Every structure is written in structure tokens, then in C-alpha cells.
Amino acid sequence: MTTFVLFGGTGDLAKRKIIPALYSAYVNGRLAASFSFIGAAREALTDEEFRVRVAASIEAYASKDADHSAEKMAAFLALTTYSKINAHEAGDFEQLKQRIHTSETDPTLFYLATGPDIFIPVVEQLSKHGLVEGNARVVVEKPLGRDAQSAKEINQSLRTYLNENQIY
């Protein structure tokens, strides 16, 4: 099963760009048949509360060419769950690990739509919990740091936990 985990899942970038693009890819058949979407953020939400936000995001920002039928929306939302995550709380990552149903060969994509100050704590926790082994990839959203020096530090730290081919 392919799993897409979106850190910053309740943020503006997620709402306006990432979730609508993910939905469009889904309705256009560009995602694996066995796909799951996990939103992750600091806010305490139930899966259903997150699904309501996802639906609102899709209605407001997804391409008007995308299939907005009730059937497609319901199918996408059925693949959608939520995990409360504090980047510094190991227990939150253990709960996330329980929600991810992949094997060593299944792709897992962790998309960090967060501020750069959260990149390393998240990746460190993912590594400590064995979540970046196998076919896992990590996407870090720009800007990568506050300046050239902090960008270099982030790059160096990412390589502590990830192989070069896992970083996007």
C-alpha cells in the first residue's frame, strides 16, 4: 500500500495546494489503487473532523476539471485519516507508525509542509521509529532554512537520518 503522510496537514499550504493536487491525482488515476492519505499536525482532530476539512479544501481549491462527484469524494475521504503529531513527542510518532500499513517494499512518502525549524525533529523521530527504512521518501518544502547557513545545517542533518535518494 502506498502511504502519503502530510505533516502540516491542517496548514494553509496543505489546504490550498497539496490536498487539492492529491485529490486531482486520485480522481485522474495517477495514484496506486492501494493508497492511503494521513494528515498530521499538532491540532487534536478526529479522522472525521479532518475529513470535513479535506472535503472543504477540495471543494474550494481543487481544479474545476476534477471529478467532484459524491462517489469520488467519498472514496477519497475513505482513504483519509489523521494523526496528531508534536514533532518532539515520541509517543505521537508511535501512534503514527500504527496507522501506516506498509511493508519494506511499499512506498511511503512523508511530505513536510511545515516550517524549516520542524524538519529535523520530524525526520529524527521518523528515523527513531523505523519509519524511513525501506522505500520511504521525505519531501521538505521550501524555503529550506532562514539563510544559506541554516540551509546547509538542515541538509547536513537530513543526511544523518536519510540516504540522499530519500530526500526530495
Side-chain angles (χ1 to χ4, degrees):
M1 173 179 289
T2 301
T3 303
F4 184 94
V5 181
L6 177 58
F7 287 89
T10 60
D12 193 60
L13 179 63
K15 178 176 75 174
R16 292 177 182 268
K17 299 291 183 184
I18 300 168
I19 292 170
L22 194 60
Y23 178 76
S24 291
Y26 172 76
V27 298
N28 290 315
R30 288 181 273 160
L31 297 178
S34 59
F35 166 79
S36 71
F37 168 41
I38 302 171
R42 292 178 296 203
E43 191 174 352
L45 296 173
T46 65
D47 289 344
E48 191 53 41
E49 288 170 330
F50 183 65
R51 287 179 186 127
V52 168
R53 290 185 184 197
V54 167
S57 170
I58 292 166
E59 289 297 328
Y61 300 106
S63 168
K64 300 308 173 206
D65 295 335
D67 183 347
H68 287 263
S69 70
E71 296 81 23
K72 287 288 187 182
M73 180 72 80
F76 182 77
L77 294 175
L79 304 171
T80 302
T81 60
Y82 181 80
S83 190
K84 180 193 169 299
I85 293 283
N86 177 323
H88 304 285
E89 293 292 329
D92 289 352
F93 285 83
E94 193 57 42
Q95 290 177 359
L96 175 63
K97 186 175 183 174
Q98 301 306 314
R99 287 188 170 260
I100 297 174
H101 305 289
T102 59
S103 69
E104 280 282 316
T105 58
D106 289 331
T108 303
L109 178 68
F110 298 98
Y111 194 115
L112 279 58
T114 66
D117 55 319
I118 302 298
F119 293 165
I120 300 311
V122 167
V123 172
E124 180 181 16
Q125 290 289 350
L126 291 172
S127 178
K128 283 182 180 178
H129 288 86
L131 292 167
V132 290
E133 297 170 2
N135 202 10
R137 303 288 186 262
V138 177
V139 176
V140 289
E141 184 63 48
K142 293 179 181 179
L144 189 63
R146 298 172 307 284
D147 52 28
Q149 181 59 37
S150 63
K152 286 179 187 176
E153 290 169 5
I154 289 170
N155 271 323
Q156 183 178 5
S157 294
L158 287 172
R159 289 191 190 111
T160 300
Y161 303 105
L162 303 166
N163 295 321
E164 186 71 29
N165 68 343
Q166 292 180 288
I167 305 168
Y168 292 87

